Amino acid sequence: MTARDKRGTAAVVGGRGFIGGACVEALRDAGWDVVVVTHNARLAARHDGYRWGDMLDPTTLGPAVEGADVVVQSANFPNYPFEKPQHRHSYLEYDGLGTERLVRAARAAGARRYVYVAGVGVTENPTKPYFRAIRRGELAVADSGMAHVVVRPAFVYGPRDNGINRIIRACRYLPVLPLPQGGRQNHQPVHVDDVGRLVAQAAAADAPEGTFEIGGPERMTMRAMLSTALRLVGRGRPIVDVADRVTRPGARLMARLPGPLITPDALDFMLEDFVADLEPLTKHYDLRLTPFLDGLRSYLVR
């Protein structure tokens, strides 16, 4: 691609993360100059193309997105989805208030377009705290005056995910796989590269605006997803149904510990159904969605 083909500059806030990294790669492939915005000030100082930007500190966000034609937000709090409100690591501070801070900075910096990677499950009047925070962020984006796209992924998997991959590693040592509610939650797993490609398409100046959910081509339970992945790597395990009367008291107990492994809100989030309405996406964007088994094979089978 020649210099004349360059599309402009895209700042990816959270560009070192699992989904953000896929967005960075897809945007570069599409011809964008990409600035990776990270909350790690030391790392940003050591790498060309990196800038420091902290979702909790609005004074850092303006310089982080200065000169960007497009701002892509794909930033989660540390140890997501396990909140630590005492450190301001929460949905409200990142997806809600943090999005409002970043939108103001992007608008003041002259960005023409904003792409927010949110999540499936958000409604107009959500009742659960994590969905309320994301909806607050979505409204800030919609009211920004910038051209905008909200991308709502379902369950995202890939080489760097901390969900399926963590369970595969744990099953080296577990004779059975315990799952809350037996893993009966409905999902529509989407490969991280598909999300990245959608974000790259959404960043284009003539791309359709609005809110677009994205999931993979199949709907399946968490149980089926994990069974498929474990069989693929030769670690098939019997699945044990862990009832609510066990998981919820356990989550409340562990939430009191330093560095909790689980909290009640995180448990609720993990037990949600995450399926996508693909009709708006397929109507307005040209994207081939990766079948789940093909996506797993692309990095689990060598």
Side-chain angles (χ1 to χ4, degrees):
M1 183 166 291
T2 67
R4 287 181 301 175
D5 296 323
K6 287 290 184 181
R7 293 175 176 264
T9 299
V12 181
V13 181
R16 291 181 58 244
F18 169 46
I19 296 176
C23 296
V24 168
E25 292 181 13
L27 286 161
R28 285 176 175 157
D29 288 345
W32 291 88
D33 289 321
V34 179
V35 171
V36 175
V37 179
T38 173
H39 69 278
N40 188 322
R42 292 182 180 179
L43 188 67
R46 293 199 304 266
H47 290 271
D48 290 338
Y50 279 41
R51 293 181 188 170
W52 176 43
D54 187 341
M55 294 288 286
L56 301 178
D57 183 354
T59 66
T60 70
L61 297 176
V65 300
E66 183 179 358
D69 302 288
V70 174
V71 172
V72 175
Q73 178 186 342
S74 179
N76 286 324
F77 51 86
N79 209 38
Y80 168 94
F82 307 119
E83 295 180 294
K84 291 185 178 180
Q86 68 273 26
H87 299 300
R88 299 173 66 197
H89 295 165
S90 68
Y91 291 98
L92 176 60
E93 284 287 357
Y94 275 71
D95 290 288
L97 299 172
T99 302
E100 292 173 353
R101 298 179 193 112
L102 186 55
V103 163
R104 287 193 295 268
R107 186 173 55 219
R112 296 193 295 271
R113 197 170 188 90
Y114 197 104
V115 182
Y116 175 31
V117 182
V120 160
V122 182
T123 61
E124 288 189 5
N125 297 293
T127 58
K128 296 182 178 178
Y130 35 87
F131 288 144
R132 285 202 303 268
I134 296 171
R135 182 58 178 162
R136 180 169 179 165
E138 289 185 352
L139 291 173
V141 173
D143 294 340
S144 69
M146 293 178 282
H148 61 276
V149 176
V150 173
V151 175
R152 290 180 175 174
F155 183 99
V156 184
Y157 70 97
R160 295 175 56 201
D161 80 66
N162 280 323
I164 291 176
N165 294 331
R166 180 180 293 178
I167 290 172
I168 288 174
R169 290 192 296 270
C171 282
R172 292 177 182 174
Y173 314 104
L174 295 175
V176 298
L177 177 59
L179 289 180
Q181 296 184 0
R184 291 186 292 273
Q185 306 80 33
N186 292 311
H187 287 282
Q188 199 165 342
V190 57
H191 195 281
V192 67
D193 289 347
D194 293 349
V195 179
R197 284 189 285 269
L198 173 57
V199 167
Q201 290 186 27
D206 58 349
E209 295 184 50
T211 299
F212 299 92
E213 297 185 352
I214 178 171
E218 307 110 326
R219 292 188 178 185
M220 61 184 70
T221 63
M222 174 62 75
R223 184 188 193 103
M225 287 168 51
L226 294 176
S227 295
T228 299
L230 289 169
R231 284 197 305 270
L232 190 62
V233 298
R235 293 180 194 158
R237 298 290 187 271
I239 291 176
V240 175
D241 187 339
V242 183
D244 273 0
R245 67 177 181 273
V246 176
T247 56
R248 294 195 182 278
R252 288 194 293 270
L253 177 63
M254 286 191 285
R256 300 190 184 101
L257 302 175
L261 297 174
I262 191 69
T263 64
D265 281 348
L267 178 63
D268 281 342
F269 185 78
M270 293 164 61
L271 295 177
E272 294 282 354
D273 292 333
F274 290 114
V275 295
D277 176 6
L278 297 181
E279 184 177 353
L281 175 70
T282 56
K283 181 178 179 181
H284 294 286
Y285 282 91
D286 180 18
L287 194 68
R288 178 188 176 275
L289 296 171
T290 305
F292 184 56
L293 192 55
D294 290 351
L296 291 177
R297 283 177 173 152
S298 70
Y299 67 94
L300 289 180
V301 178
R302 300 301 181 194

